[in-house]
Amino acid sequence: MLKPTKDRFDIQITEANKTVTKSFELDKNIKTIKGVLVTSSRDDLMYHRGTQKIEINKEEYFPDNYESKLLMSGVNVAPNQRYYNLGNVNPGNGIINLVYTDADDGLTPFAPYRVSLYVDTEREDMLS
Amino acid sequence: MREQVVITPVNITKAGEVRFFQIRLPKNSRQIIGIEIGGRRISKGENGALLFPLQPPIIKEPGIFASMSSTLDWLTFKRNTFIGELKLQSCEQANIFFAADIQTDENLGFGDFSQNSKWQAIVFSHQSKTEEDTVKVNGDTTIVQGIYKDRLGEQSKTDVQYIVNVYVWVEIEDESANKKETSEK
């Protein structure tokens, strides 16, 4: 029986106008990836400055320069609606590659911030 | 069959600027299934004022009229800022298949009485979940023509520099899956 779960992966943005690349490995029990969501310790900075590429199992789902604001949901969105729906993606090798780029927008002064990628998944229920 | 997005930035530097551009679709596109718009400002206005996106007004609380001014603000329906007009045209039968007015949303906090001088509804706290606008256009049009007209600079009579990103979601033939099916047969 499959159980819905959420996984969170963090990266730290410590320098302005730099690209941070990190790979994350999903749990082996995850059978399906249903959606993604990005949040930040500084939502204002990520909204105005952030773009990212997301690859799952070496397959690109969001290319470079895909704005972070399009993957963010505000507090007025119902929790069950917040994730960007990817359909039912096979995790394959279970590796998610996140390439996040911070770019100056002439509006926000840079300060170090955290970017979190949340992944909506289904995994085998080990208890059943 | 899987989805892919093609991102095309449109740079605007002059007031009233009209930009013609082309979006080249992948060769194995089956159909265009969605359009999304994004963007960001890259310069301030003449007087240093923040234009796009607009910031919410700062509520000042000068004494006895404090609560009244706060109440009126979250009940005030503000005019949205008109940024520009976008049209997309297919080279096939669909012709112009997408037309949109791009504007800011100045009423994210409308009716939200929890706001005060220290916490107000802003785009990154109250933005709705964004979804692409669904379209259905034959992917045989390997090129999509686009036209964007600036209205923000035109109306404010100021050269505002910003980028509009046009996201075209396409459904593409999965060649590896097709090869696998052929070999199994």
Side-chain angles (χ1 to χ4, degrees):
Chain A
M1 187 176 162
L2 294 178
K3 185 175 75 171
T5 52
K6 308 288 185 286
D7 291 271
R8 167 177 160 172
F9 305 104
D10 294 342
I11 58 172
Q12 299 295 330
I13 312 303
T14 53
E15 281 185 73
N17 302 308
K18 295 281 186 209
T19 298
V20 175
T21 303
K22 205 164 180 188
S23 294
F24 305 101
E25 192 168 354
L26 294 171
D27 193 277
K28 293 283 181 281
N29 295 320
I30 288 174
K31 299 300 175 193
T32 313
I33 297 171
K34 300 182 76 66
V36 291
L37 168 70
V38 290
T39 65
S40 175
S41 58
R42 287 292 303 270
D43 291 296
D44 56 332
L45 295 185
M46 187 170 72
Y47 184 92
H48 292 301
R49 305 171 67 97
T51 58
Q52 76 280 297
K53 176 167 88 167
I54 299 176
E55 288 178 348
I56 301 173
N57 186 30
K58 294 184 185 175
E59 212 169 298
E60 182 183 273
Y61 283 85
F62 300 96
D64 285 316
N65 294 321
Y66 196 92
E67 293 164 280
S68 301
K69 63 173 65 120
L70 299 179
L71 294 178
M72 292 169 68
S73 294
V75 295
N76 57 348
V77 179
N80 278 334
Q81 306 295 327
R82 288 180 185 168
Y83 285 76
Y84 192 100
N85 187 13
L86 291 174
N88 290 322
V89 172
N90 190 331
N93 62 9
I95 304 289
I96 295 180
N97 203 32
L98 174 64
V99 182
Y100 181 88
T101 302
D102 174 88
D104 195 24
D105 68 326
L107 172 67
T108 49
F110 179 83
Y113 60 102
R114 166 185 52 81
V115 169
S116 296
L117 172 70
Y118 283 82
V119 186
D120 186 11
T121 58
E122 280 182 344
R123 67 179 69 199
E124 271 184 12
D125 190 351
M126 303 305 289
L127 296 176
S128 61
Chain B
M1 208 71 66
R2 64 185 184 88
E3 297 175 6
Q4 185 175 314
V5 61
V6 180
I7 307 174
T8 304
V10 181
N11 289 296
I12 301 297
T13 55
K14 298 285 182 199
E17 188 173 350
V18 178
R19 277 271 178 177
F20 295 91
F21 57 96
Q22 291 183 335
I23 301 169
R24 188 174 292 276
L25 301 181
K27 282 182 186 171
N28 50 354
S29 300
R30 186 165 170 271
Q31 60 177 349
I32 302 171
I33 57 173
I35 306 292
E36 256 183 310
I37 311 290
R40 63 185 182 87
R41 197 204 57 213
I42 53 178
S43 77
K44 291 184 179 178
E46 259 185 0
N47 58 358
L50 301 170
L51 287 175
F52 164 52
L54 285 183
Q55 299 296 301
I58 296 172
I59 301 173
K60 293 182 180 172
E61 298 186 354
I64 61 171
F65 297 111
S67 58
M68 189 183 293
S69 65
S70 299
T71 301
L72 289 175
D73 194 73
W74 55 263
L75 284 179
T76 304
F77 200 82
K78 305 178 190 70
R79 185 177 177 181
N80 292 334
T81 302
F82 187 18
I83 306 294
E85 298 168 2
L86 174 73
K87 289 186 175 67
L88 298 176
Q89 180 184 33
S90 155
C91 298
E92 291 274 311
Q93 255 181 342
N95 201 7
I96 295 178
F97 64 91
F98 183 82
D101 290 339
I102 298 164
Q103 56 188 13
T104 61
D105 185 355
E106 303 302 326
N107 300 286
L108 287 169
F110 180 75
D112 185 349
F113 52 82
S114 66
Q115 295 179 98
N116 53 43
S117 59
K118 294 183 176 50
W119 193 82
Q120 296 169 34
I122 306 176
V123 282
F124 48 84
S125 68
H126 283 67
Q127 177 183 255
S128 299
K129 178 183 166 189
T130 59
E131 301 269 13
E132 66 269 24
D133 290 321
T134 305
V135 297
K136 196 172 179 183
V137 175
N138 196 323
D140 287 344
T141 173
T142 52
I143 291 177
V144 170
Q145 311 271 12
I147 177 171
Y148 179 82
K149 180 169 172 53
D150 168 63
R151 290 295 190 192
L152 175 64
E154 185 185 63
Q155 289 176 1
S156 62
K157 297 181 175 47
T158 312
D159 289 340
V160 183
Q161 295 180 36
Y162 59 95
I163 295 175
V164 174
N165 288 316
V166 181
Y167 299 82
V168 177
W169 285 90
V170 293
E171 218 172 51
I172 61 174
E173 303 275 356
D174 197 346
E175 289 171 356
S176 55
N178 288 341
K179 280 181 188 170
K180 198 176 173 185
E181 281 177 16
T182 310
S183 62
E184 280 175 358
K185 285 177 186 172

